[in-house]
Amino acid sequence: MAIPAELRAQLQTRVIDTTHSPELRLQRLVELVFQPEGLALQYDTGATLSVAEVWQQRRANCLSFTLLFVALAREIGLDARMQEVGQVVSWYQDQGLIFTAGHVNVGLRVGGRHATLDLDQNVLYDRRGPRPISDRRAIAHFYNNRGVEHLAAGDYPAARAYFDAALQMDPRFVATWNNLGVLESRVGDNAAAARDLESALAINGEHAPALSNAVALYTRTGDIPHAARLQKKLDRARARDPFYQFMQATQAERSGDYAQAIHYYRNALKLYDNAHQFHFGLARAYFLSGDNRLAEREMERARQLGDNERQRALYQAKLDSLRRLQARRPSH
């Protein structure tokens, strides 16, 4: 999280020297980070970069942005911290829906008020929302992400080095134990893979990725009773997970099985009723199945729960379209 000298100098002249007001310093910092005459920072989901690398490349994902912004905010005297969200769903036009276990953003306390700053504006947090974490855990996220990138590229020694570094930062970082299990499985060391996955489950017995990977491992190695026990735990965890239900709903919707989509969307809403995205999905499934009345009801609920005026206006436009369709239908 070290700040490069040139960036520190800009921070001094463009933020610190201009005002003593915490609110104005925060505003100037945001301008420095995002405006063209500053860093002109661009969002890049694949850019797991250090603070210095973000400065050089002018791009960052949520994690790198959080490390950068917290470092700069502290430098100008603000009370800033890293925050973690256990699960999120993000929406990207080019990649569709992405479910992520683990997300970080910035927590600020300015003028007695708390605020959250998130680079990803298309994200739905889990029901617990952001929680403060230590710098060491945030850095564990960084090393874990780097390890995953090398794992995906087939560079197993580099992946292992990053995973080891993550666990040095936080020995209870479940995602890294799970990823180490995947790595060991890929290199053919099933015993080590089992140890790593069991380490993950000892920390969090309902960690779905570790449960899923353990089921696959024990099935492959012939330990069917163990796999069956873990499969039951995985099924129970998924039944309680609104995001899993939501992802199943979207998959059913894409395949044209609207009755199944409605089933899963309703399950998701039983677990997380305040997510406007879930109501919108259910409205869509009802509409595609031919039930405009229920589609209108769910669209209205989505509109009421929208995060901001722009979102609510979009839902209102869709709601108006539905009502026009309803009005055109012949009455019996």
Side-chain angles (χ1 to χ4, degrees):
M1 293 176 63
I3 302 172
E6 188 177 350
L7 177 54
R8 189 185 299 274
Q10 284 203 28
L11 198 63
Q12 185 71 41
T13 57
R14 296 189 53 179
V15 180
I16 297 173
D17 291 346
T18 63
T19 180
H20 293 289
S21 163
E23 291 84 0
L24 287 176
R25 283 190 173 186
L26 175 58
Q27 179 181 330
R28 304 270 164 81
L29 176 58
V30 170
E31 292 169 354
L32 173 64
V33 170
F34 290 109
Q35 288 188 350
E37 58 271 23
L39 272 71
L41 190 68
Q42 298 295 311
Y43 182 37
D44 182 343
T45 57
T48 303
L49 304 173
S50 67
V51 171
E53 289 168 334
V54 172
W55 164 246
Q56 293 164 355
Q57 300 183 32
R58 303 298 204 265
R59 60 193 182 96
N61 60 12
C62 290
L63 173 58
S64 297
F65 166 75
T66 298
L67 295 174
L68 169 78
F69 202 91
V70 168
L72 297 181
R74 289 173 178 172
E75 185 72 13
I76 65 173
L78 298 182
D79 182 1
R81 63 192 181 190
M82 264 76 76
Q83 299 182 144
E84 178 182 86
V85 185
Q87 293 179 323
V88 298
V89 174
S90 299
W91 282 257
Y92 301 110
Q93 285 188 343
D94 56 338
Q95 301 171 63
L97 280 171
I98 297 179
F99 171 74
T100 307
H103 174 77
V104 296
N105 57 28
V106 179
L108 294 162
R109 182 179 174 86
V110 181
R113 292 177 295 176
H114 292 278
T116 292
L117 184 59
D118 201 315
L119 189 59
D120 190 346
Q121 298 301 305
N122 299 306
V123 65
L124 172 63
Y125 300 152
D126 64 23
R127 290 163 293 182
R128 294 179 63 189
R131 300 176 299 280
I133 58 171
S134 67
D135 289 3
R136 290 182 68 86
R137 186 167 178 88
I139 295 170
H141 271 280
F142 176 83
Y143 288 138
N144 181 68
N145 277 21
R146 281 278 180 94
V148 168
E149 291 167 2
H150 285 285
L151 180 63
D155 187 349
Y156 299 144
R160 187 186 302 278
Y162 276 113
F163 291 148
D164 288 344
L167 291 174
Q168 286 181 357
M169 289 291 106
D170 186 349
R172 293 181 59 80
F173 200 72
V174 178
T176 298
W177 283 113
N178 174 62
N179 290 330
L180 267 175
V182 173
L183 187 156
E184 299 294 5
S185 182
R186 289 189 182 180
V187 300
D189 192 340
N190 291 330
R195 286 196 300 272
D196 292 336
L197 293 172
E198 293 296 343
S199 293
L201 294 173
I203 299 167
N204 180 0
E206 293 193 351
H207 189 259
L211 283 169
S212 180
N213 287 324
V215 168
L217 174 66
Y218 290 126
T219 300
R220 189 171 65 251
T221 57
D223 191 348
I224 304 304
H226 198 174
R229 288 194 298 273
L230 292 179
Q231 183 65 55
K232 288 181 180 179
K233 291 187 68 174
L234 178 59
D235 291 342
R236 289 195 297 270
R238 286 173 169 173
R240 293 191 293 267
D241 183 356
F243 285 4
Y244 177 80
Q245 300 297 318
F246 177 64
M247 298 302 287
Q248 292 296 107
T250 59
Q251 184 175 335
E253 183 184 339
R254 284 196 299 270
S255 67
D257 189 345
Y258 303 127
Q260 190 77 332
I262 289 168
H263 167 76
Y264 280 117
Y265 279 129
R266 292 180 66 180
N267 282 351
L269 283 164
K270 288 176 186 175
L271 297 163
Y272 193 173
D273 183 61
N274 292 330
H276 64 84
Q277 298 92 336
F278 293 3
H279 287 281
F280 178 49
L282 182 55
R284 211 169 44 236
Y286 277 135
F287 173 75
L288 292 168
S289 68
D291 194 332
N292 288 357
R293 182 182 63 82
L294 289 179
E296 181 180 337
R297 184 192 71 184
E298 292 303 320
M299 192 68 75
E300 172 61 27
R301 182 65 174 145
R303 186 194 65 78
Q304 293 171 356
L305 293 169
D307 294 326
N308 50 57
E309 286 301 323
R310 178 177 175 275
Q311 185 70 68
R312 287 188 286 273
L314 287 172
Y315 285 142
Q316 184 64 57
K318 295 178 186 296
L319 187 59
D320 291 342
S321 296
L322 270 175
R323 286 171 175 163
R324 285 194 294 271
L325 283 173
Q326 280 284 82
R328 293 194 196 110
R329 293 183 65 179
S331 57
H332 298 284

